[in-house]
Every structure is written in structure tokens, then in C-alpha cells.
Amino acid sequence: MKTLLNILAFTITLTIVAQNTYLHCGNIIDTKSGKVLNEKTIVIKGNTIVSVNDGFITSDNANDVIVDLKSKTVMPGLIDMHVHIEGETSPTRYLDRFTKNKSDVAFVSAEIANRTLLSGFTTVRDLGGSGVNVSLRDAINKGIVSGPRIYTAEKAIGTTGGHADPTNGMRKDLMGDPGPAEGVINSPEDARKAVRQRYKNGADLIKITATGGVLSVAKNGQNAQFTQEEVNEIVKTAEEYGMVVAAHAHGKEGMKRAVIGGVQTIEHGSFMDAEVAKLMKENNTYLVPTLSAGRYVEEKAKIPNYYPDVILPKIASTMEVLDDTFSMVVKENVPIAFGTDAGVFPHGENAKEFIYMVEAGWSPMFSIKSATITNAKLLGMEDKLGVIESGYLADIIAVDEDPTKDISTMVEVSFVMKDGVVYKK
């Protein structure tokens, strides 16, 4: 509690008293050039970067604040393109939907949001929940609770019995027949209505489950679950409403249909082959690898009763191919966006994805750029996020070491600023 009060006091000092904030940075990662720059001062006014200056400059204004980051490496706030911010992994997760009220989910999600922000992720893309995610986004934007900037898909769209069918695994008298309002479709007409419903509910983008999923209570984790016509209609309608589409996909055929249909990103891509990789490059479709999720579920699958029995064979078959899949993805230079699937593993551990990306074959700088300048572009915020430069929003973090030399330093963020407000120092 004392630490929280200190943070709040420091935040109030910066936002109310100070005219400008000066960050004295030992190193800065320039995400445009891919270089590490030395001894710079970032000047911030309100929520915007005013200038980036050589050396450590000071101010004559007594109200200005100087923050000493001379021993740190500074970079733009991180962006995670795949989280589920309403909850996280637990052996009771499959029962929680019958016992937790939306208000319970809301309190949990607020804590998760704060934890995510303090880990250095100032922006996230939330890819499916109950609708609490929309309220959380709005509460953060209004300053009611602290958390990252959220772009949310509200409820993911699936097919009857598919990965995003909310009644999957229930007993038959509880299943009912969910439709477009609940995010379940079975025709192009349903698809159009489901997208419009997501728009009505406040979604920023659309998420579809183009194939089966590993952690859903269903036996197939790879099969294509939308017709080509359904995918086409979803993307077309989303575009008409100013939204892009992200596609959960593990199996090859579902990935192909999603890419041909025009989705922006493929999430997971576990069973991708060279044919799909080529198709993604031709269509400028980005892969969000979510390596952290695979690592975590593989370990938890060893614990009896952590996951329902129907899920265990899917975990095993998926993990068998992941190393080969991502070796191919690196070799083929498939476009990559940083995303973790946080919620499948504990929120706040998102930065472990950097370590796994480097182990898979991407360079430290590539992985950092994927979580900053690349993701900002995909969010349509390339002129506001992902770069430390005059005119950009003051989303800035710092770590203790140079991550281009030791990527593991990314998991211990020592300074977090979002919109010019310091949340961790």
C-alpha cells in the first residue's frame, strides 16, 4: 500500500505541478533505424514528446521534473497484439463461467490491466471476452482505472460447435442455439449480422476463430470452421464499419481461407507450411506467433486435471510441430507482429515472448521492433505510437540493460510512462 501511495503521489506531482518532464536516458532504442543511441534527453509536455536531444540537458523552470534514466535503456511502450484481459489461466477456468458474475470478471480484469501496464505494455489488442473488455477499455480511457490502451474485439466470432462457441462443452440442456448476437454464425448472412453486432457492442476490431482451438472443449484443434464465403463476408462487413479482422488459426486450410479472405493477422499459425507462408507474404498478412502460450500449456499439461482430458491430445500434437513451423516461418521471412495470448498464461509475463522469439531465430532488435513500430502500424497508430520522436505520444519504458545484448532484461521493466504519466519508477 505504501508503494502504491508513493506512485500515486509521484504521478500527481508530474501531472499537476510540472510544466515539462525531462528524461535523461543512457540509451534509447531507435525503432525506426534499429540502432541504440546513447546519452539523450527526452522532453515531454503533457502526453506528447516535444523533442529528443543530444546529451543530458536541464531546465531553468523550477516546476520541470528531471527523471534520471542514465543507467537504463529506454524504448517506446510495448504493444501486445493478442491478450485476453478479462481473466487468466486456472484449473477452475472451465467452471468459472458458471460461477462468476460479470462484476467479478470486471474486478479481476481491472487488476490484470494494471499488472499489464506495470510490465511495460502500454497498449494491447484484446482478442475476445464477454463484453467486460469494452467497459474496461472505456474506464481506462476515462482515467477511472489504470491500464494499457486497449483495442478490443469484444466477443470473438465462431461457428456452431467451433472454438468461439460459448456453449462448447456444456451439457445439452444448457447449450441452446447461440446465434450472431452471441458471436456464432452459420452463413454469410449470419456473418454480416455478427460483425454488425460487435460494432454495436463497441468493438474496435473483429476476431474470428478460423479453425479449431487447442484449449476449447472440443476434440479437433485444426479443422477449418468457416466457409470461404463466410470469411469473405466478415472481412467485407468489417471494412465497411472501419474495422480489421484477426483470425485465430492453427490448421492449414483455415489459415488459407482467412488469408484469401483478407484478414490482417493470423494468430498462432501452428501447422503453417511453406504454401501458407508464401500466401501470407503475397497478401501482407502478419503472423502473431504467441510462443508464450505454447510453452505454458505444454508445462501445465503435465499437471493432472489442470486441463480437461479432451484437450491433452491437442496440446501434444501442436507442440510436436511448433519448432519446425517457426524455423520455417523465420526462414521464409513471414511478416511478424508481436503477440502473446496472455491469459492462457499469467498476465504480466508477456515479455517472456521476447526470449522465445530470439530462441526461435529472430534477432533481439527484430523482436523489439515487432512489439513497437510494427504493431503501431497495424493498429493505424504509426504516427502516435511505437517511436520515440517529437509529436508521438509519451508512451515510454526503460529496462536495466541493453536488450539487444541481453534480451532477458525485457522481463524486468523498471520505468513505465503512458500518455506522459509515470506509473512505475
Side-chain angles (χ1 to χ4, degrees), residues 330 354 357-358 361-369 404 407:
V330 174
F354 291 106
M357 288 183 73
V358 171
W362 289 289
S363 72
M365 184 60 77
F366 179 93
S367 69
I368 293 167
K369 292 179 73 169
T404 64
I407 195 64

mmCIF file of all heavy atoms in Angstrom, residues 330 354 357-358 361-369 404 407:
data_model
loop_
_atom_site.group_PDB
_atom_site.id
_atom_site.type_symbol
_atom_site.label_atom_id
_atom_site.label_comp_id
_atom_site.label_asym_id
_atom_site.label_seq_id
_atom_site.Cartn_x
_atom_site.Cartn_y
_atom_site.Cartn_z
ATOM 1 N N VAL A 330 10.656 -18.229 -39.794
ATOM 2 C CA VAL A 330 11.818 -17.343 -39.761
ATOM 3 C C VAL A 330 12.547 -17.376 -41.096
ATOM 4 O O VAL A 330 12.901 -16.329 -41.662
ATOM 5 C CB VAL A 330 12.775 -17.736 -38.613
ATOM 6 C CG1 VAL A 330 14.059 -16.914 -38.679
ATOM 7 C CG2 VAL A 330 12.102 -17.545 -37.261
ATOM 8 N N PHE A 354 9.677 -12.185 -25.864
ATOM 9 C CA PHE A 354 10.913 -11.722 -26.494
ATOM 10 C C PHE A 354 11.992 -12.810 -26.434
ATOM 11 O O PHE A 354 12.703 -13.045 -27.417
ATOM 12 C CB PHE A 354 11.429 -10.450 -25.818
ATOM 13 C CG PHE A 354 10.577 -9.242 -26.037
ATOM 14 C CD1 PHE A 354 9.769 -8.744 -25.024
ATOM 15 C CD2 PHE A 354 10.587 -8.586 -27.265
ATOM 16 C CE1 PHE A 354 8.979 -7.621 -25.222
ATOM 17 C CE2 PHE A 354 9.803 -7.459 -27.474
ATOM 18 C CZ PHE A 354 8.995 -6.984 -26.448
ATOM 19 N N MET A 357 11.106 -15.569 -28.875
ATOM 20 C CA MET A 357 11.312 -15.150 -30.266
ATOM 21 C C MET A 357 12.783 -15.240 -30.656
ATOM 22 O O MET A 357 13.128 -15.714 -31.746
ATOM 23 C CB MET A 357 10.795 -13.723 -30.476
ATOM 24 C CG MET A 357 9.284 -13.605 -30.470
ATOM 25 S SD MET A 357 8.699 -11.918 -30.814
ATOM 26 C CE MET A 357 9.058 -11.794 -32.579
ATOM 27 N N VAL A 358 13.658 -14.788 -29.749
ATOM 28 C CA VAL A 358 15.097 -14.852 -30.032
ATOM 29 C C VAL A 358 15.547 -16.312 -30.121
ATOM 30 O O VAL A 358 16.345 -16.682 -30.999
ATOM 31 C CB VAL A 358 15.887 -14.075 -28.970
ATOM 32 C CG1 VAL A 358 17.390 -14.305 -29.116
ATOM 33 C CG2 VAL A 358 15.567 -12.579 -29.071
ATOM 34 N N GLY A 361 14.850 -17.707 -33.483
ATOM 35 C CA GLY A 361 15.691 -17.287 -34.597
ATOM 36 C C GLY A 361 15.592 -15.835 -34.993
ATOM 37 O O GLY A 361 16.368 -15.370 -35.835
ATOM 38 N N TRP A 362 14.658 -15.085 -34.432
ATOM 39 C CA TRP A 362 14.582 -13.659 -34.717
ATOM 40 C C TRP A 362 15.600 -12.906 -33.863
ATOM 41 O O TRP A 362 15.936 -13.332 -32.754
ATOM 42 C CB TRP A 362 13.183 -13.120 -34.425
ATOM 43 C CG TRP A 362 12.151 -13.574 -35.410
ATOM 44 C CD1 TRP A 362 12.029 -13.193 -36.710
ATOM 45 C CD2 TRP A 362 11.074 -14.498 -35.175
ATOM 46 N NE1 TRP A 362 10.953 -13.804 -37.301
ATOM 47 C CE2 TRP A 362 10.351 -14.619 -36.379
ATOM 48 C CE3 TRP A 362 10.649 -15.231 -34.056
ATOM 49 C CZ2 TRP A 362 9.228 -15.443 -36.505
ATOM 50 C CZ3 TRP A 362 9.536 -16.051 -34.171
ATOM 51 C CH2 TRP A 362 8.838 -16.151 -35.374
ATOM 52 N N SER A 363 16.089 -11.785 -34.347
ATOM 53 C CA SER A 363 17.081 -11.013 -33.601
ATOM 54 C C SER A 363 16.390 -10.234 -32.480
ATOM 55 O O SER A 363 15.183 -9.955 -32.542
ATOM 56 C CB SER A 363 17.801 -10.027 -34.520
ATOM 57 O OG SER A 363 16.924 -8.960 -34.891
ATOM 58 N N PRO A 364 17.141 -9.849 -31.443
ATOM 59 C CA PRO A 364 16.546 -9.013 -30.389
ATOM 60 C C PRO A 364 15.919 -7.731 -30.929
ATOM 61 O O PRO A 364 14.814 -7.365 -30.527
ATOM 62 C CB PRO A 364 17.730 -8.722 -29.468
ATOM 63 C CG PRO A 364 18.631 -9.903 -29.632
ATOM 64 C CD PRO A 364 18.520 -10.258 -31.091
ATOM 65 N N MET A 365 16.612 -7.049 -31.847
ATOM 66 C CA MET A 365 16.062 -5.808 -32.385
ATOM 67 C C MET A 365 14.798 -6.071 -33.192
ATOM 68 O O MET A 365 13.826 -5.306 -33.119
ATOM 69 C CB MET A 365 17.099 -5.089 -33.249
ATOM 70 C CG MET A 365 16.632 -3.734 -33.782
ATOM 71 S SD MET A 365 16.215 -2.528 -32.471
ATOM 72 C CE MET A 365 17.868 -2.030 -31.964
ATOM 73 N N PHE A 366 14.758 -7.160 -33.939
ATOM 74 C CA PHE A 366 13.558 -7.502 -34.703
ATOM 75 C C PHE A 366 12.373 -7.690 -33.753
ATOM 76 O O PHE A 366 11.263 -7.195 -33.998
ATOM 77 C CB PHE A 366 13.769 -8.774 -35.523
ATOM 78 C CG PHE A 366 12.563 -9.196 -36.314
ATOM 79 C CD1 PHE A 366 12.406 -8.796 -37.624
ATOM 80 C CD2 PHE A 366 11.579 -9.989 -35.741
ATOM 81 C CE1 PHE A 366 11.270 -9.174 -38.360
ATOM 82 C CE2 PHE A 366 10.450 -10.371 -36.450
ATOM 83 C CZ PHE A 366 10.299 -9.962 -37.761
ATOM 84 N N SER A 367 12.606 -8.409 -32.659
ATOM 85 C CA SER A 367 11.515 -8.682 -31.732
ATOM 86 C C SER A 367 11.015 -7.396 -31.078
ATOM 87 O O SER A 367 9.807 -7.215 -30.888
ATOM 88 C CB SER A 367 11.950 -9.701 -30.670
ATOM 89 O OG SER A 367 12.904 -9.162 -29.784
ATOM 90 N N ILE A 368 11.918 -6.486 -30.745
ATOM 91 C CA ILE A 368 11.531 -5.207 -30.134
ATOM 92 C C ILE A 368 10.752 -4.355 -31.140
ATOM 93 O O ILE A 368 9.721 -3.756 -30.795
ATOM 94 C CB ILE A 368 12.763 -4.457 -29.614
ATOM 95 C CG1 ILE A 368 13.380 -5.220 -28.438
ATOM 96 C CG2 ILE A 368 12.402 -3.025 -29.202
ATOM 97 C CD1 ILE A 368 14.759 -4.743 -28.050
ATOM 98 N N LYS A 369 11.222 -4.323 -32.375
ATOM 99 C CA LYS A 369 10.504 -3.572 -33.404
ATOM 100 C C LYS A 369 9.118 -4.151 -33.662
ATOM 101 O O LYS A 369 8.149 -3.422 -33.896
ATOM 102 C CB LYS A 369 11.322 -3.534 -34.697
ATOM 103 C CG LYS A 369 12.596 -2.701 -34.588
ATOM 104 C CD LYS A 369 13.410 -2.698 -35.875
ATOM 105 C CE LYS A 369 12.770 -1.854 -36.944
ATOM 106 N NZ LYS A 369 13.667 -1.639 -38.103
ATOM 107 N N THR A 404 19.378 -5.509 -26.706
ATOM 108 C CA THR A 404 19.966 -6.029 -27.942
ATOM 109 C C THR A 404 21.166 -6.918 -27.631
ATOM 110 O O THR A 404 21.604 -7.699 -28.481
ATOM 111 C CB THR A 404 20.408 -4.891 -28.878
ATOM 112 O OG1 THR A 404 21.455 -4.131 -28.270
ATOM 113 C CG2 THR A 404 19.231 -3.973 -29.193
ATOM 114 N N ILE A 407 18.451 -10.075 -24.170
ATOM 115 C CA ILE A 407 17.011 -9.894 -24.341
ATOM 116 C C ILE A 407 16.247 -10.215 -23.071
ATOM 117 O O ILE A 407 15.117 -9.719 -22.872
ATOM 118 C CB ILE A 407 16.499 -10.758 -25.516
ATOM 119 C CG1 ILE A 407 15.095 -10.310 -25.955
ATOM 120 C CG2 ILE A 407 16.527 -12.229 -25.163
ATOM 121 C CD1 ILE A 407 15.023 -8.921 -26.510
#
